[in-house]
Amino acid sequence: MPRVLIADDEDSMRMLVARAIAMDGHATVTAEDGAEALEILSREQGAFDLLLTDIQMPVMDGIALALTAARDFPDLTILLMTGFADQRERAYGLNAIVHDVVTKPFSVADIRAAVGAALATRKTV
């Protein structure tokens, strides 16, 4: 069962995404911001198949989280989410480390498809 770490500062979005991808049998762990997600990744030694993170968050944003996670856990697949066009542009140069950027708002079917596609192409050790 794939393990997915979800980082989003909005409670409702974090819970919606967790419930949506759990429908496909994925185990989920959630974090309220990038710093908490990085702490979870470090504590669990990167034992996740996918990091799904919002870009705009307090404390540590999703891009800083993605850069750090990619450096420390190079086999981790990363998927970003954002509702802001300018944030999507910030992620433009990260193609080498980020699988895709999902634009909010999205449907349950959209996020399930994006997660499924990201997991299907993940690096295997």
Side-chain angles (χ1 to χ4, degrees):
M1 164 183 335
R3 294 186 75 217
V4 180
L5 176 57
I6 302 162
D8 196 306
D9 59 317
E10 293 180 41
D11 289 339
S12 59
M13 180 60 66
R14 197 170 54 247
M15 294 303 109
L16 170 73
V17 171
R19 283 194 308 269
I21 63 176
M23 294 168 66
D24 293 320
H26 307 315
T28 61
V29 175
T30 61
E32 294 181 7
D33 58 54
E36 182 183 6
L38 188 58
E39 189 271 321
I40 292 168
L41 275 172
S42 296
R43 183 180 67 228
E44 298 201 23
Q45 300 176 340
F48 290 90
D49 299 291
L50 177 68
L51 170 61
L52 176 58
T53 181
D54 190 20
I55 292 176
Q56 187 168 330
M57 296 183 291
V59 185
M60 174 186 256
D61 72 13
I63 291 178
L65 172 59
L67 290 168
T68 304
R71 180 195 70 208
D72 295 348
F73 308 102
D75 294 327
L76 181 64
T77 300
I78 301 170
L79 187 60
L80 300 177
M81 304 179 283
T82 189
F84 301 96
D86 63 324
Q87 297 300 320
R88 189 173 178 86
E89 290 174 17
R90 282 184 61 212
Y92 179 70
L94 301 178
N95 292 345
I97 64 166
V98 172
H99 174 76
D100 198 4
V101 180
V102 181
T103 302
K104 295 178 183 178
F106 47 72
S107 69
V108 167
D110 291 338
I111 195 64
R112 289 173 68 194
V115 166
L119 288 170
T121 61
R122 73 181 182 266
K123 303 166 192 157
T124 54
V125 180

